[in-house]
Amino acid sequence: LSSYHQMVVQAVMFIFRTLGLKCVTLLPQIMHPILGLLKSSQQGLRDFLFQQLGMLVSIVKQHIRPYLTQVLVLVHEFWPEQSYQAQILYLIGEVASALKDEFKQYIPQLMPKMLAVLHEAQVDPRAAHDARCTKVLAVLEMLDTNLDPYLDVTLPAIVSLAESDSPRLEVPLAVINWIRRMCRRVSLAEYGSRIVHPLTRVLDTGPPQLHGPCVVCLTSLMLAIGPSFLVLQRCLAPVMQRRRGLPEASKYQVCLEKLYR
């Protein structure tokens, strides 16, 4: 019978996607079997079930609330198995997005797990290729302003990955773009130097493919923190002078001139 579990879950998910929020009335009938199956299944099926559970949350949104305690028990139970972490992070992100401020109370228990992934990537650049790293960034972005109390521990770990020694650029690029987007969503004024100094080094000696995104990110930071950026511009100026030929540098210069007026 277990060989049919995956097909049955896929069929249920197809029905739920078709019904949209109308499927909420069916949650009591399917949540307990799915959670029980997730606990007792074999590795391959369990990974699939965490993914499907994330998709389910994206459909039912805040209506997952009555089952959240059970879901998080399974998250904590199976987190030590690294092969599940990418799908678990996807699930956490969907829950955070669905519950918004209500999710705040669960962050202290989950944050150390996400920080451990980032620190592992710092110690071993090969780990930064892992989907787990970009999934952590996605979850932290979904936390939105709920991330504010944790910026002092998350930002240093994130920004350091922009300078990763990995020959692959997916994670450094994801970090730079993450900072650019978060500039508009959380207050980064007091963390300006922690961001600018590493990005200046990337812009100076990092791979050319990262130079343009770095300038765009620094421009977004400038617009977000305003006149406070002028102090940081002093260390950035020589590098920006060398990179003035970048297409992205013209907007940076225009924004900088407006700050000086």
Side-chain angles (χ1 to χ4, degrees), residues 6 9 37-39 41-55 78 81-91 132 135:
Q6 185 164 335
V9 172
L37 184 59
L38 204 157
K39 187 172 178 64
S41 62
Q42 298 298 312
Q43 181 172 348
L45 181 59
R46 185 174 290 127
D47 190 60
F48 166 78
L49 288 171
F50 272 122
Q51 179 198 47
Q52 296 300 302
L53 195 52
M55 292 174 61
F78 292 108
E81 182 60 53
Q82 196 176 102
S83 61
Y84 299 141
Q85 287 178 6
Q87 298 302 347
I88 289 176
L89 286 163
Y90 166 64
L91 169 61
R132 295 177 303 142
K135 287 280 175 65

mmCIF file of all heavy atoms in Angstrom, residues 6 9 37-39 41-55 78 81-91 132 135:
data_model
loop_
_atom_site.group_PDB
_atom_site.id
_atom_site.type_symbol
_atom_site.label_atom_id
_atom_site.label_comp_id
_atom_site.label_asym_id
_atom_site.label_seq_id
_atom_site.Cartn_x
_atom_site.Cartn_y
_atom_site.Cartn_z
ATOM 1 N N GLN A 6 2.551 8.270 -2.546
ATOM 2 C CA GLN A 6 2.947 9.464 -3.294
ATOM 3 C C GLN A 6 1.887 9.852 -4.311
ATOM 4 O O GLN A 6 1.548 11.028 -4.451
ATOM 5 C CB GLN A 6 4.299 9.242 -3.985
ATOM 6 C CG GLN A 6 4.812 10.496 -4.687
ATOM 7 C CD GLN A 6 6.291 10.391 -5.019
ATOM 8 O OE1 GLN A 6 7.038 9.666 -4.388
ATOM 9 N NE2 GLN A 6 6.721 11.129 -6.030
ATOM 10 N N VAL A 9 -1.128 11.424 -2.501
ATOM 11 C CA VAL A 9 -0.840 12.798 -2.062
ATOM 12 C C VAL A 9 -0.852 13.747 -3.265
ATOM 13 O O VAL A 9 -1.387 14.864 -3.178
ATOM 14 C CB VAL A 9 0.512 12.864 -1.317
ATOM 15 C CG1 VAL A 9 0.893 14.316 -1.035
ATOM 16 C CG2 VAL A 9 0.430 12.086 -0.006
ATOM 17 N N LEU A 37 1.757 10.275 8.013
ATOM 18 C CA LEU A 37 2.569 9.660 6.963
ATOM 19 C C LEU A 37 3.961 10.268 6.927
ATOM 20 O O LEU A 37 4.961 9.569 6.749
ATOM 21 C CB LEU A 37 1.858 9.842 5.619
ATOM 22 C CG LEU A 37 2.499 9.173 4.400
ATOM 23 C CD1 LEU A 37 2.617 7.670 4.604
ATOM 24 C CD2 LEU A 37 1.678 9.491 3.142
ATOM 25 N N LEU A 38 4.029 11.592 7.121
ATOM 26 C CA LEU A 38 5.322 12.268 7.112
ATOM 27 C C LEU A 38 6.224 11.736 8.226
ATOM 28 O O LEU A 38 7.426 11.538 8.040
ATOM 29 C CB LEU A 38 5.105 13.773 7.272
ATOM 30 C CG LEU A 38 6.190 14.707 6.761
ATOM 31 C CD1 LEU A 38 5.616 16.087 6.463
ATOM 32 C CD2 LEU A 38 7.350 14.839 7.716
ATOM 33 N N LYS A 39 5.626 11.441 9.366
ATOM 34 C CA LYS A 39 6.405 10.949 10.508
ATOM 35 C C LYS A 39 6.890 9.516 10.304
ATOM 36 O O LYS A 39 8.003 9.155 10.712
ATOM 37 C CB LYS A 39 5.561 11.038 11.776
ATOM 38 C CG LYS A 39 6.331 10.703 13.046
ATOM 39 C CD LYS A 39 5.501 10.985 14.269
ATOM 40 C CE LYS A 39 6.252 10.595 15.548
ATOM 41 N NZ LYS A 39 7.465 11.399 15.748
ATOM 42 N N SER A 41 7.082 7.722 7.232
ATOM 43 C CA SER A 41 7.490 7.316 5.889
ATOM 44 C C SER A 41 9.008 7.161 5.766
ATOM 45 O O SER A 41 9.768 7.544 6.645
ATOM 46 C CB SER A 41 6.991 8.335 4.860
ATOM 47 O OG SER A 41 7.567 9.597 5.116
ATOM 48 N N GLN A 42 9.434 6.640 4.627
ATOM 49 C CA GLN A 42 10.856 6.492 4.327
ATOM 50 C C GLN A 42 11.418 7.813 3.797
ATOM 51 O O GLN A 42 10.673 8.739 3.450
ATOM 52 C CB GLN A 42 11.065 5.379 3.283
ATOM 53 C CG GLN A 42 10.605 4.011 3.752
ATOM 54 C CD GLN A 42 11.376 3.537 4.985
ATOM 55 O OE1 GLN A 42 12.601 3.600 5.023
ATOM 56 N NE2 GLN A 42 10.641 3.084 5.999
ATOM 57 N N GLN A 43 12.746 7.870 3.659
ATOM 58 C CA GLN A 43 13.421 9.141 3.368
ATOM 59 C C GLN A 43 12.924 9.828 2.107
ATOM 60 O O GLN A 43 12.598 11.010 2.126
ATOM 61 C CB GLN A 43 14.929 8.921 3.269
ATOM 62 C CG GLN A 43 15.698 10.214 2.986
ATOM 63 C CD GLN A 43 17.193 10.017 3.092
ATOM 64 O OE1 GLN A 43 17.666 8.998 3.585
ATOM 65 N NE2 GLN A 43 17.951 10.989 2.630
ATOM 66 N N GLY A 44 12.858 9.113 1.000
ATOM 67 C CA GLY A 44 12.469 9.738 -0.267
ATOM 68 C C GLY A 44 11.075 10.311 -0.211
ATOM 69 O O GLY A 44 10.832 11.433 -0.665
ATOM 70 N N LEU A 45 10.148 9.555 0.367
ATOM 71 C CA LEU A 45 8.766 10.017 0.470
ATOM 72 C C LEU A 45 8.659 11.183 1.446
ATOM 73 O O LEU A 45 7.905 12.117 1.226
ATOM 74 C CB LEU A 45 7.854 8.866 0.891
ATOM 75 C CG LEU A 45 6.367 9.208 1.012
ATOM 76 C CD1 LEU A 45 5.812 9.717 -0.309
ATOM 77 C CD2 LEU A 45 5.586 7.988 1.494
ATOM 78 N N ARG A 46 9.442 11.136 2.526
ATOM 79 C CA ARG A 46 9.372 12.214 3.515
ATOM 80 C C ARG A 46 9.808 13.550 2.911
ATOM 81 O O ARG A 46 9.187 14.588 3.164
ATOM 82 C CB ARG A 46 10.237 11.869 4.734
ATOM 83 C CG ARG A 46 10.115 12.903 5.858
ATOM 84 C CD ARG A 46 10.865 12.446 7.092
ATOM 85 N NE ARG A 46 10.206 11.325 7.732
ATOM 86 C CZ ARG A 46 10.813 10.174 8.045
ATOM 87 N NH1 ARG A 46 12.096 9.998 7.753
ATOM 88 N NH2 ARG A 46 10.148 9.212 8.645
ATOM 89 N N ASP A 47 10.863 13.538 2.125
ATOM 90 C CA ASP A 47 11.320 14.759 1.457
ATOM 91 C C ASP A 47 10.209 15.312 0.569
ATOM 92 O O ASP A 47 9.920 16.510 0.566
ATOM 93 C CB ASP A 47 12.575 14.456 0.639
ATOM 94 C CG ASP A 47 13.255 15.707 0.115
ATOM 95 O OD1 ASP A 47 13.664 16.545 0.945
ATOM 96 O OD2 ASP A 47 13.373 15.861 -1.116
ATOM 97 N N PHE A 48 9.556 14.424 -0.181
ATOM 98 C CA PHE A 48 8.445 14.795 -1.048
ATOM 99 C C PHE A 48 7.291 15.375 -0.225
ATOM 100 O O PHE A 48 6.672 16.374 -0.607
ATOM 101 C CB PHE A 48 7.996 13.556 -1.829
ATOM 102 C CG PHE A 48 6.672 13.700 -2.518
ATOM 103 C CD1 PHE A 48 6.559 14.395 -3.710
ATOM 104 C CD2 PHE A 48 5.526 13.121 -1.972
ATOM 105 C CE1 PHE A 48 5.330 14.529 -4.350
ATOM 106 C CE2 PHE A 48 4.299 13.238 -2.607
ATOM 107 C CZ PHE A 48 4.204 13.948 -3.800
ATOM 108 N N LEU A 49 7.017 14.784 0.935
ATOM 109 C CA LEU A 49 5.893 15.238 1.765
ATOM 110 C C LEU A 49 6.147 16.616 2.361
ATOM 111 O O LEU A 49 5.221 17.422 2.467
ATOM 112 C CB LEU A 49 5.622 14.222 2.869
ATOM 113 C CG LEU A 49 4.986 12.902 2.402
ATOM 114 C CD1 LEU A 49 4.956 11.889 3.534
ATOM 115 C CD2 LEU A 49 3.578 13.133 1.853
ATOM 116 N N PHE A 50 7.395 16.898 2.760
ATOM 117 C CA PHE A 50 7.699 18.246 3.246
ATOM 118 C C PHE A 50 7.449 19.269 2.130
ATOM 119 O O PHE A 50 6.905 20.351 2.377
ATOM 120 C CB PHE A 50 9.142 18.338 3.730
ATOM 121 C CG PHE A 50 9.341 17.965 5.174
ATOM 122 C CD1 PHE A 50 10.197 16.935 5.541
ATOM 123 C CD2 PHE A 50 8.666 18.648 6.179
ATOM 124 C CE1 PHE A 50 10.377 16.586 6.877
ATOM 125 C CE2 PHE A 50 8.838 18.312 7.521
ATOM 126 C CZ PHE A 50 9.693 17.272 7.856
ATOM 127 N N GLN A 51 7.831 18.911 0.903
ATOM 128 C CA GLN A 51 7.598 19.816 -0.230
ATOM 129 C C GLN A 51 6.104 20.026 -0.457
ATOM 130 O O GLN A 51 5.634 21.156 -0.639
ATOM 131 C CB GLN A 51 8.235 19.239 -1.495
ATOM 132 C CG GLN A 51 8.017 20.111 -2.728
ATOM 133 C CD GLN A 51 8.255 19.344 -4.008
ATOM 134 O OE1 GLN A 51 7.761 18.223 -4.163
ATOM 135 N NE2 GLN A 51 9.021 19.926 -4.914
ATOM 136 N N GLN A 52 5.340 18.936 -0.430
ATOM 137 C CA GLN A 52 3.899 19.028 -0.657
ATOM 138 C C GLN A 52 3.202 19.794 0.464
ATOM 139 O O GLN A 52 2.248 20.531 0.222
ATOM 140 C CB GLN A 52 3.299 17.616 -0.787
ATOM 141 C CG GLN A 52 3.800 16.838 -1.981
ATOM 142 C CD GLN A 52 3.499 17.516 -3.306
ATOM 143 O OE1 GLN A 52 2.345 17.784 -3.634
ATOM 144 N NE2 GLN A 52 4.533 17.816 -4.080
ATOM 145 N N LEU A 53 3.701 19.631 1.678
ATOM 146 C CA LEU A 53 3.137 20.374 2.797
ATOM 147 C C LEU A 53 3.365 21.869 2.625
ATOM 148 O O LEU A 53 2.484 22.693 2.917
ATOM 149 C CB LEU A 53 3.757 19.874 4.102
ATOM 150 C CG LEU A 53 3.075 20.267 5.416
ATOM 151 C CD1 LEU A 53 1.593 19.926 5.403
ATOM 152 C CD2 LEU A 53 3.778 19.586 6.585
ATOM 153 N N GLY A 54 4.539 22.241 2.123
ATOM 154 C CA GLY A 54 4.797 23.648 1.813
ATOM 155 C C GLY A 54 3.843 24.174 0.754
ATOM 156 O O GLY A 54 3.319 25.292 0.862
ATOM 157 N N MET A 55 3.598 23.364 -0.271
ATOM 158 C CA MET A 55 2.648 23.761 -1.320
ATOM 159 C C MET A 55 1.233 23.894 -0.758
ATOM 160 O O MET A 55 0.487 24.803 -1.126
ATOM 161 C CB MET A 55 2.683 22.731 -2.449
ATOM 162 C CG MET A 55 3.988 22.735 -3.235
ATOM 163 S SD MET A 55 4.073 21.403 -4.450
ATOM 164 C CE MET A 55 2.697 21.794 -5.504
ATOM 165 N N PHE A 78 12.974 16.443 12.268
ATOM 166 C CA PHE A 78 13.700 15.956 11.095
ATOM 167 C C PHE A 78 14.744 16.939 10.569
ATOM 168 O O PHE A 78 15.455 16.633 9.614
ATOM 169 C CB PHE A 78 12.710 15.587 9.979
ATOM 170 C CG PHE A 78 11.878 14.383 10.322
ATOM 171 C CD1 PHE A 78 10.533 14.517 10.623
ATOM 172 C CD2 PHE A 78 12.467 13.129 10.395
ATOM 173 C CE1 PHE A 78 9.770 13.410 10.965
ATOM 174 C CE2 PHE A 78 11.712 12.010 10.732
ATOM 175 C CZ PHE A 78 10.361 12.155 11.021
ATOM 176 N N GLU A 81 18.492 15.885 9.828
ATOM 177 C CA GLU A 81 18.795 15.158 8.587
ATOM 178 C C GLU A 81 18.942 16.174 7.461
ATOM 179 O O GLU A 81 17.972 16.748 6.973
ATOM 180 C CB GLU A 81 17.665 14.168 8.280
ATOM 181 C CG GLU A 81 17.904 13.322 7.044
ATOM 182 C CD GLU A 81 19.157 12.482 7.143
ATOM 183 O OE1 GLU A 81 19.305 11.737 8.130
ATOM 184 O OE2 GLU A 81 20.003 12.592 6.225
ATOM 185 N N GLN A 82 20.207 16.409 7.044
ATOM 186 C CA GLN A 82 20.491 17.507 6.117
ATOM 187 C C GLN A 82 19.733 17.398 4.800
ATOM 188 O O GLN A 82 19.371 18.409 4.199
ATOM 189 C CB GLN A 82 22.001 17.562 5.850
ATOM 190 C CG GLN A 82 22.470 18.859 5.227
ATOM 191 C CD GLN A 82 23.978 18.886 5.088
ATOM 192 O OE1 GLN A 82 24.522 18.667 4.006
ATOM 193 N NE2 GLN A 82 24.665 19.140 6.185
ATOM 194 N N SER A 83 19.463 16.182 4.357
ATOM 195 C CA SER A 83 18.803 16.003 3.062
ATOM 196 C C SER A 83 17.376 16.556 3.045
ATOM 197 O O SER A 83 16.809 16.794 1.971
ATOM 198 C CB SER A 83 18.788 14.519 2.672
ATOM 199 O OG SER A 83 18.074 13.766 3.644
ATOM 200 N N TYR A 84 16.781 16.766 4.222
ATOM 201 C CA TYR A 84 15.422 17.309 4.286
ATOM 202 C C TYR A 84 15.403 18.838 4.384
ATOM 203 O O TYR A 84 14.347 19.453 4.237
ATOM 204 C CB TYR A 84 14.670 16.762 5.501
ATOM 205 C CG TYR A 84 14.494 15.270 5.533
ATOM 206 C CD1 TYR A 84 14.613 14.575 6.734
ATOM 207 C CD2 TYR A 84 14.192 14.550 4.384
ATOM 208 C CE1 TYR A 84 14.436 13.196 6.789
ATOM 209 C CE2 TYR A 84 14.031 13.175 4.430
ATOM 210 C CZ TYR A 84 14.155 12.499 5.634
ATOM 211 O OH TYR A 84 13.984 11.142 5.681
ATOM 212 N N GLN A 85 16.535 19.435 4.648
ATOM 213 C CA GLN A 85 16.518 20.839 5.070
ATOM 214 C C GLN A 85 16.035 21.802 3.989
ATOM 215 O O GLN A 85 15.351 22.781 4.300
ATOM 216 C CB GLN A 85 17.911 21.240 5.573
ATOM 217 C CG GLN A 85 18.232 20.635 6.924
ATOM 218 C CD GLN A 85 19.624 20.974 7.415
ATOM 219 O OE1 GLN A 85 20.354 21.759 6.799
ATOM 220 N NE2 GLN A 85 20.015 20.368 8.528
ATOM 221 N N ALA A 86 16.351 21.542 2.728
ATOM 222 C CA ALA A 86 15.905 22.458 1.674
ATOM 223 C C ALA A 86 14.375 22.512 1.613
ATOM 224 O O ALA A 86 13.782 23.595 1.526
ATOM 225 C CB ALA A 86 16.478 22.037 0.318
ATOM 226 N N GLN A 87 13.728 21.338 1.692
ATOM 227 C CA GLN A 87 12.257 21.306 1.640
ATOM 228 C C GLN A 87 11.640 21.826 2.934
ATOM 229 O O GLN A 87 10.589 22.467 2.911
ATOM 230 C CB GLN A 87 11.772 19.879 1.352
ATOM 231 C CG GLN A 87 12.223 19.317 0.019
ATOM 232 C CD GLN A 87 11.789 20.167 -1.169
ATOM 233 O OE1 GLN A 87 10.953 21.065 -1.061
ATOM 234 N NE2 GLN A 87 12.360 19.892 -2.329
ATOM 235 N N ILE A 88 12.303 21.570 4.067
ATOM 236 C CA ILE A 88 11.803 22.111 5.331
ATOM 237 C C ILE A 88 11.860 23.642 5.307
ATOM 238 O O ILE A 88 10.932 24.315 5.762
ATOM 239 C CB ILE A 88 12.610 21.552 6.524
ATOM 240 C CG1 ILE A 88 12.274 20.078 6.733
ATOM 241 C CG2 ILE A 88 12.314 22.342 7.795
ATOM 242 C CD1 ILE A 88 13.094 19.394 7.820
ATOM 243 N N LEU A 89 12.940 24.182 4.764
ATOM 244 C CA LEU A 89 13.059 25.643 4.661
ATOM 245 C C LEU A 89 11.984 26.223 3.748
ATOM 246 O O LEU A 89 11.433 27.299 4.027
ATOM 247 C CB LEU A 89 14.459 26.021 4.153
ATOM 248 C CG LEU A 89 15.573 25.866 5.197
ATOM 249 C CD1 LEU A 89 16.937 25.858 4.514
ATOM 250 C CD2 LEU A 89 15.504 26.985 6.230
ATOM 251 N N TYR A 90 11.683 25.517 2.681
ATOM 252 C CA TYR A 90 10.586 25.951 1.803
ATOM 253 C C TYR A 90 9.275 25.992 2.585
ATOM 254 O O TYR A 90 8.499 26.961 2.503
ATOM 255 C CB TYR A 90 10.481 25.007 0.605
ATOM 256 C CG TYR A 90 9.208 25.148 -0.190
ATOM 257 C CD1 TYR A 90 8.918 26.330 -0.873
ATOM 258 C CD2 TYR A 90 8.285 24.109 -0.252
ATOM 259 C CE1 TYR A 90 7.742 26.460 -1.594
ATOM 260 C CE2 TYR A 90 7.115 24.226 -0.968
ATOM 261 C CZ TYR A 90 6.836 25.403 -1.638
ATOM 262 O OH TYR A 90 5.675 25.529 -2.347
ATOM 263 N N LEU A 91 9.036 24.956 3.375
ATOM 264 C CA LEU A 91 7.825 24.897 4.205
ATOM 265 C C LEU A 91 7.793 26.044 5.213
ATOM 266 O O LEU A 91 6.771 26.733 5.364
ATOM 267 C CB LEU A 91 7.774 23.544 4.932
ATOM 268 C CG LEU A 91 6.732 23.382 6.044
ATOM 269 C CD1 LEU A 91 5.321 23.568 5.495
ATOM 270 C CD2 LEU A 91 6.881 22.015 6.705
ATOM 271 N N ARG A 132 20.193 24.895 0.276
ATOM 272 C CA ARG A 132 19.801 25.316 1.614
ATOM 273 C C ARG A 132 20.124 26.785 1.865
ATOM 274 O O ARG A 132 19.374 27.502 2.532
ATOM 275 C CB ARG A 132 20.501 24.456 2.677
ATOM 276 C CG ARG A 132 20.076 22.990 2.641
ATOM 277 C CD ARG A 132 20.850 22.189 3.672
ATOM 278 N NE ARG A 132 22.279 22.321 3.454
ATOM 279 C CZ ARG A 132 23.185 22.403 4.431
ATOM 280 N NH1 ARG A 132 22.808 22.380 5.688
ATOM 281 N NH2 ARG A 132 24.460 22.493 4.155
ATOM 282 N N LYS A 135 17.693 29.006 0.162
ATOM 283 C CA LYS A 135 16.385 28.845 0.810
ATOM 284 C C LYS A 135 16.351 29.629 2.125
ATOM 285 O O LYS A 135 15.314 30.209 2.480
ATOM 286 C CB LYS A 135 16.102 27.368 1.064
ATOM 287 C CG LYS A 135 15.770 26.557 -0.196
ATOM 288 C CD LYS A 135 14.342 26.749 -0.625
ATOM 289 C CE LYS A 135 14.038 26.039 -1.943
ATOM 290 N NZ LYS A 135 14.144 24.584 -1.859
#
